């Protein structure tokens, strides 16, 4: 169900962006307002563009969202507060916590809207770190950030002894 919801959302988003782009082009007299003149094959092109958007919207959720593992050493009670603090630095707030699993959302409404409200990062605690799920490009950044910060912290502890 989540997949279908995401696909419909992205189809609407693609259509919205196209409409805004065409409206701007018409406003600046770059193209005629008549679809029969605006597109090479007239109104037939609208259905071709819609079909292209259906394909893109169907494929994007498969490639845009991922599950990745973050290697974060330590027991959950020891690392919990630091994870929450580091996520706050990345402008995420704790949405819910269920045992050793946490869910984060972006704090600002504008950034959430720009991601079509698909900004949730789910962290499931496992031995040796977290299994994380969310937007692929956000996960890469967040996992790199968290692993770097926890690596720094563990190296500091070893250098003290």
């Amino acid at each position: 169900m989540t997949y279908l919801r995401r696909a419909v959302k992205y189809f609407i988003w693609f259509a919205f962006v196209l409409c805004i782009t065409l409206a701007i082009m018409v406003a600046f007299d770059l193209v005629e307002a008549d679809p029969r003149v605006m597109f090479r094959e007239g109104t037939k092109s609208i259905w071709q563009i819609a079909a292209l958007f259906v394909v893109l919207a169907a494929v994007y959720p498969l490639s845009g969202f991922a599950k990745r593992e973050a290697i974060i050493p330590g027991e959950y009670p020891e690392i919990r507060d630091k994870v929450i603090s580091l996520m706050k630095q990345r402008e995420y707030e704790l949405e819910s916590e269920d045992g050793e699993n946490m869910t984060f959302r972006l704090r600002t409404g504008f950034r959430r809207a720009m991601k079509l409200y698909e900004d949730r990062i789910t962290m499931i605690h496992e031995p040796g770190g977290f299994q994380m799920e969310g937007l692929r490009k956000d996960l890469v950044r967040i996992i790199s950030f968290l692993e770097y910060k926890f690596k720094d912290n563990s190296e500091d502890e070893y250098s003290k002894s």
Side-chain angles (χ1 to χ4, degrees):
M1 192 63 174
T2 300
Y3 173 81
L4 181 62
R5 180 180 46 81
R6 286 177 177 163
V8 169
K9 240 187 230 190
Y10 283 108
F11 175 79
I12 293 169
W13 176 250
F14 294 148
F16 175 74
V17 169
L18 176 66
C19 289
I20 294 297
T21 304
L22 293 176
I24 291 169
M25 291 173 71
V26 168
F28 287 109
D29 288 327
L30 298 173
V31 295
E32 294 284 330
D34 184 12
R36 291 174 291 176
V37 178
M38 184 184 298
F39 300 111
R40 182 175 296 165
E41 295 185 34
T43 55
K44 182 180 176 185
S45 294
I46 294 172
W47 297 111
Q48 292 170 346
I49 292 169
L52 174 69
F53 286 173
V54 166
V55 170
L56 289 174
V59 171
Y60 185 73
L62 295 174
S63 64
F65 295 87
K67 287 184 181 180
R68 294 266 170 95
E69 188 172 322
I71 300 169
I72 300 174
E75 295 298 317
Y76 183 77
E78 299 166 359
I79 61 175
R80 178 194 175 276
D81 292 334
K82 186 170 181 182
V83 167
I84 293 171
S85 172
L86 291 171
M87 290 298 283
K88 279 185 181 177
Q89 287 180 23
R90 301 297 289 184
E91 297 185 21
Y92 282 86
E93 64 186 355
L94 184 64
E95 179 185 40
S96 65
E97 187 172 14
D98 180 28
E100 294 186 348
N101 304 330
M102 297 182 280
T103 304
F104 293 89
R105 298 292 303 256
L106 281 169
R107 281 189 274 181
T108 60
F110 178 74
R111 287 193 59 206
R112 290 183 69 204
M114 292 306 296
K115 293 181 184 285
L116 301 179
Y117 297 95
E118 296 291 343
D119 61 320
R120 182 175 282 121
I121 301 289
T122 303
M123 300 176 72
I124 300 168
H125 189 253
E126 298 177 339
F130 286 95
Q131 179 74 31
M132 297 177 66
E133 182 177 356
L135 275 169
R136 183 180 307 271
K137 65 181 182 177
D138 291 344
L139 282 184
V140 169
R141 291 179 186 136
I142 290 170
I143 289 171
S144 296
F145 177 72
L146 290 174
E147 287 179 345
Y148 176 76
K149 291 297 186 179
F150 275 94
K151 181 180 158 219
D152 260 4
N153 190 31
S154 64
E155 286 178 1
D156 290 344
E157 290 174 11
Y158 292 122
S159 64
K160 290 178 184 176
S161 39

